Amino acid sequence: MRWALLLLVAALWGTLPTTAQAAADVQGTAAGRVAFIGVPGLHWDDLDPRSTPHLWRLAGQSGLGSVSVKTVGTVACPYDGWLTVSAGVRSAYGHGCALPPVPEAQGSGAVVPGFKDLLARRDGTYVGTLGQALRDAGQCTAAVGRGAALALADRTGKVDVYAAEPAALADWSRCRVLAVDVDELISPYVAGGSLPKEPELLTPERRREAVRAADAEVGEALARIPADAEVLLAGVGDHGSVPHLRVAMWKRADLAGALLGTTSTRREDISVLPDLTATVLTSAGVTVPPTVIGVPPAPGRVLPLEEAAAHLSRSDLAGTSVRSTTGLFFTGFAVVQVAFYAVAYFLLSRRRRPLAVGVAALGIASIPVSTYLVNLLPWLHAGQPVAALVGGVLALAGLIVLLATAGPWRRHPLGPPAVVAGVTAATLVADLLTGTTLQFDSLMGYTAVVGGRYYGLANIPFALLATAVLMGTAIAADHLVRNGRARVAVALVTGLGVAAMLLAGWPGVGSDFGGVIAFVPGIAVTALLVAGRKVSVLKLGAFCVLGGVAVSVIAVLDFQRPAASQTHLGRFVGQVIDGTFLPMIGRKLGAMLNTMLSPNLMPIVIVGLAFLVFALLRPGQASAGLLPQAFARAPMLRAGLVGALVSGVVGMLVNDSGTAVLSMAVALAVPLVLYAGLRSADEPRDPGATAVPERHGDPVAGQV
């Protein structure tokens, strides 16, 4: 087992230089002129050869991708988008924003008003980084439009050359770095100084008119930009209350037709706003400041223009479809959980143990993993994508239940729970090793339109992975202990748990900071209980500290890599070193606290844990003694359950998803334990079975 873990670490470490090399290849491009055109609100559905000829022609000469315009809030107004490009990190003005302020003329240039106030804001600390880096390198900056001035302003708010509109800029070749704000598309949406609360305020025809106006202004700018300039065009903000992926193009000879992705997202066709900052600087031959978290895009697959545009449009549709369904899905999942426990209590308290209760328990436990497996199906191409998505999840959950109850393992009470736990763990491990294509755009994963995470192991999948691994290895340990192989059982729990923990936290694979902290105590508690040892509060605290040490080591290793290849783990080390980590910690703490009263998640936690506790403390009333019988017949089952709940509680406290972590641990673990209890009550005890020996405490009634 020790050699297997060493080989796993070596294999994971061997994957790290590839992204660094890709970023280095892009940054090795010779410096020249660069023009950045921002078109807030533009997405790929807006483009076609007839209504947007200038944009379509530019797309045919460019590498293509989507930009996730996530800043600090759910929706990125153009003001926040331009601020983020200026800062090179996610930045925001505040709630109710829309367009940037109008610059004040100063000679041939301009000054952005209120710049000192922006710098004083918690989410505006780094505004002016792009412009200051250019000024320090001796570069001249020219801006057309208010957003462009904000993007290129230095730390004092100044830009060298400014014009309010393209026709007003006399010399387009004066500066090697140029930015243009095309606000023709976004202006019709702005009312009262803020974006509308509606998802789409304009009628389809009115939006097409706005898009055509934006295309005309882009065409005017392209006609004036020097021919030797690289052109970077992106939608830098949302246009309503629903976030979208926006258009990204980079006109450079060697990129035409290629999909553009970055190591920031580890997606072949998605970048983030800070990547635009790094791209402008790199194209201008200016060193990217260490506070900029973005990297220039790298070319991927080459596709025909029509195919690439359709692919990028579908990516946005997938993300928005999942986002629009997630709230209703979690509400339905919570209702089903509450109803299930109510029915189970009613039946079991009356000494009824119908097979349907056990099958329903397996079905509920199978739903989470089905939300990932459904991405193996072409649900997005259905006439009703949302219906196909939900229907696919339910169908796959049914297939998993059939698999769990149809094989030879069905004869053992722990067989079907082991299958569900095994399928869950295997799915998530395989997804981590293949680029997390199943978690991406999934109901219990993440989407790029939300922009909370773009790759790796999210908080809900972490809870499911930890629970599945700990429950699954505990079930296997039960068999080993009964056959007198207690040490092998402990090694199995520890070895597989640590391997899963490394995958969860390794940079570029799971990249889950809080998951490592929470996984370590869960593994340790499960292993100790399997060994028949007691777990004290002091030991539990030490295990949490050990988890913090483990993730710190991983983060420091990540920090040692080139900046272009670091994940958020390594960047956090840099933020700790320069003392800028507190705002991020504050946002995550606020997000965690906000989940504590979630109407979708808290019912799962409260009802699931209440049923479990009541069934143990009052077994005669709540469960007809089923759970105590299950723990008596399969002592290690309790070890897995306790370990999973420990990881869930710690994960709830150290992750910004908060209650979501514990709710998913409960949603998977408690139904599996209940099924084992139902089956254990129906199984005659084998008088010749080998007793489980006591080792420093009874593993059946051991203390936690």
Side-chain angles (χ1 to χ4, degrees):
M1 185 65 67
R2 182 182 303 171
W3 283 106
L5 292 176
L6 291 174
L7 289 173
L8 175 63
V9 172
L12 292 172
W13 186 256
T15 66
L16 296 181
T18 56
T19 54
Q21 186 60 49
D25 291 343
V26 175
Q27 296 196 34
T29 304
R33 293 183 180 275
V34 57
F36 172 52
I37 303 176
V39 190
L42 184 68
H43 54 61
W44 281 103
D45 281 344
D46 294 322
L47 273 62
D48 66 68
R50 286 173 293 189
S51 61
T52 58
H54 302 102
L55 286 165
W56 193 260
R57 188 179 307 114
L58 178 64
Q61 302 168 340
S62 306
L64 307 176
S66 295
V67 58
S68 171
V69 296
K70 167 77 173 184
T71 54
V72 175
T74 301
V75 175
C77 71
Y79 196 169
D80 289 351
W82 287 110
L83 279 175
T84 299
V85 173
S86 171
V89 297
R90 289 180 174 179
S91 303
Y93 174 77
H95 298 293
C97 66
L99 302 179
V102 177
E104 299 172 351
Q106 190 177 86
S108 61
V111 175
V112 177
F115 212 80
K116 288 184 178 180
D117 293 336
L118 291 175
L119 294 172
R121 290 177 176 268
R122 184 186 70 174
D123 296 317
T125 304
Y126 294 103
V127 174
T129 297
L130 171 58
Q132 192 64 47
L134 292 169
R135 183 171 298 281
D136 292 343
Q139 293 285 350
C140 167
T141 56
V144 179
R146 57 174 74 180
L150 177 57
L152 295 184
D154 62 17
R155 296 282 286 178
T156 65
K158 297 179 181 179
V159 63
D160 296 322
V161 180
Y162 177 72
E165 56 187 20
L169 182 62
D171 187 359
W172 286 65
S173 61
R174 176 176 171 180
C175 298
R176 291 176 58 197
V177 180
L178 169 72
V180 182
D181 178 5
V182 177
D183 61 3
E184 296 289 342
L185 173 56
I186 198 65
S187 294
Y189 288 95
V190 178
S194 62
L195 290 182
K197 296 181 180 180
E198 295 83 356
E200 179 56 64
L201 180 66
L202 304 184
T203 64
E205 180 54 37
R206 183 69 184 89
R207 180 171 176 87
R208 283 192 292 269
E209 291 176 3
V211 170
R212 284 192 290 266
D215 179 74
E217 189 169 342
V218 169
E220 184 179 357
L222 291 173
R224 298 168 183 265
I225 292 172
D228 61 342
E230 294 182 11
V231 178
L232 181 65
L233 182 145
V236 292
D238 288 308
H239 66 270
S241 61
V242 174
H244 284 271
L245 294 176
R246 303 295 170 177
V247 169
M249 307 179 191
W250 189 4
K251 180 186 175 183
R252 205 178 72 183
D254 59 330
L255 297 178
L259 294 177
L260 295 180
T262 70
T263 54
S264 298
T265 65
R266 282 174 168 76
R267 299 290 168 190
E268 68 167 353
D269 54 4
I270 299 175
S271 57
V272 293
L273 287 175
D275 293 330
L276 304 178
T277 311
T279 305
V280 170
L281 290 170
T282 302
S283 297
V286 176
T287 301
V288 179
T291 57
V292 174
I293 66 171
V295 294
R301 290 182 296 158
V302 176
L303 297 176
L305 176 54
E306 294 80 3
E307 184 178 343
H311 164 76
L312 295 169
S313 180
R314 284 195 302 270
S315 296
D316 179 59
L317 176 61
T320 53
S321 296
V322 168
R323 180 185 179 277
S324 66
T325 309
T326 299
L328 291 175
F329 178 81
F330 273 100
T331 298
F333 189 57
V335 169
V336 168
Q337 290 254 335
V338 172
F340 167 74
Y341 288 119
V343 172
Y345 172 79
F346 175 80
L347 294 175
L348 297 179
S349 63
R350 286 159 176 74
R351 300 298 192 272
R352 299 177 182 176
R353 296 192 294 271
L355 179 62
V357 174
V359 174
L362 291 179
I364 288 174
S366 300
I367 287 177
V369 69
S370 300
T371 64
Y372 310 122
L373 291 172
V374 74
N375 277 343
L376 296 173
L377 305 177
W379 62 267
L380 187 60
H381 298 275
Q384 298 291 331
V386 171
L389 174 63
V390 176
V393 169
L394 297 178
L396 286 168
L399 288 176
I400 294 173
V401 172
L402 182 62
L403 174 66
T405 57
W409 45 78
R410 71 183 185 278
R411 299 185 180 90
H412 194 283
L414 299 183
V419 170
V420 175
V423 169
T424 301
T427 297
L428 291 171
V429 167
D431 191 42
L432 287 174
L433 294 175
T434 55
T436 56
T437 57
L438 299 183
Q439 292 179 63
F440 190 67
D441 286 337
S442 66
L443 292 170
M444 289 190 176
Y446 44 86
T447 70
V449 297
V450 174
R453 176 182 280 270
Y454 302 94
Y455 64 91
L457 191 67
N459 292 333
I460 285 178
F462 154 73
L464 296 171
L465 175 64
T467 302
V469 168
L470 295 176
M471 292 288 292
T473 54
I475 290 172
D478 191 81
H479 174 75
L480 292 170
V481 170
R482 289 182 178 280
N483 286 276
R485 306 179 68 183
R487 291 185 177 180
V488 177
V490 174
L492 176 71
V493 171
T494 304
L496 292 183
V498 171
M501 181 270 293
L502 285 174
L503 286 175
W506 203 257
V509 182
S511 303
D512 187 5
F513 194 98
V516 175
I517 300 175
F519 214 152
V520 169
I523 296 167
V525 167
T526 303
L528 282 178
L529 293 178
V530 167
R533 305 279 184 174
K534 295 181 180 179
V535 180
S536 64
V537 174
L538 182 62
K539 287 181 180 179
L540 184 59
F543 297 147
C544 292
V545 172
L546 181 60
V549 171
V551 77
S552 298
V553 170
I554 293 173
V556 170
L557 289 174
D558 188 30
F559 181 69
Q560 300 305 311
R561 298 192 291 156
S565 299
Q566 292 175 11
T567 68
H568 62 279
L569 283 81
R571 290 195 294 269
F572 178 72
V573 174
Q575 290 176 311
V576 171
I577 292 174
D578 61 28
T580 60
F581 66 98
L582 289 178
M584 183 268 291
I585 293 294
R587 286 196 296 268
K588 289 186 175 293
L589 178 60
M592 183 271 287
L593 294 175
N594 286 336
T595 67
M596 292 301 183
L597 299 178
S598 170
N600 293 332
L601 301 172
M602 281 306 297
I604 298 175
V605 175
I606 294 173
V607 177
L609 290 180
F611 180 89
L612 179 66
V613 172
F614 196 50
L616 291 174
L617 297 181
R618 296 289 187 271
Q621 299 177 26
S623 65
L626 297 186
L627 294 189
Q629 288 182 49
F631 293 151
R633 295 180 64 88
M636 301 305 111
L637 184 64
R638 186 182 69 92
L641 174 64
V642 173
L645 294 180
V646 165
S647 282
V649 171
V650 177
M652 178 182 68
L653 298 176
V654 300
N655 282 301
D656 53 4
S657 293
T659 308
V661 178
L662 180 57
S663 68
M664 289 304 107
V666 171
L668 178 59
V670 176
L672 295 184
V673 171
L674 178 59
Y675 177 90
L678 285 165
R679 285 292 311 277
S680 296
D682 295 333
E683 291 286 324
R685 181 178 293 274
D686 183 3
T690 303
V692 179
E694 296 185 6
R695 300 177 309 283
H696 307 285
D698 183 5
V700 175
Q703 302 171 15
V704 177

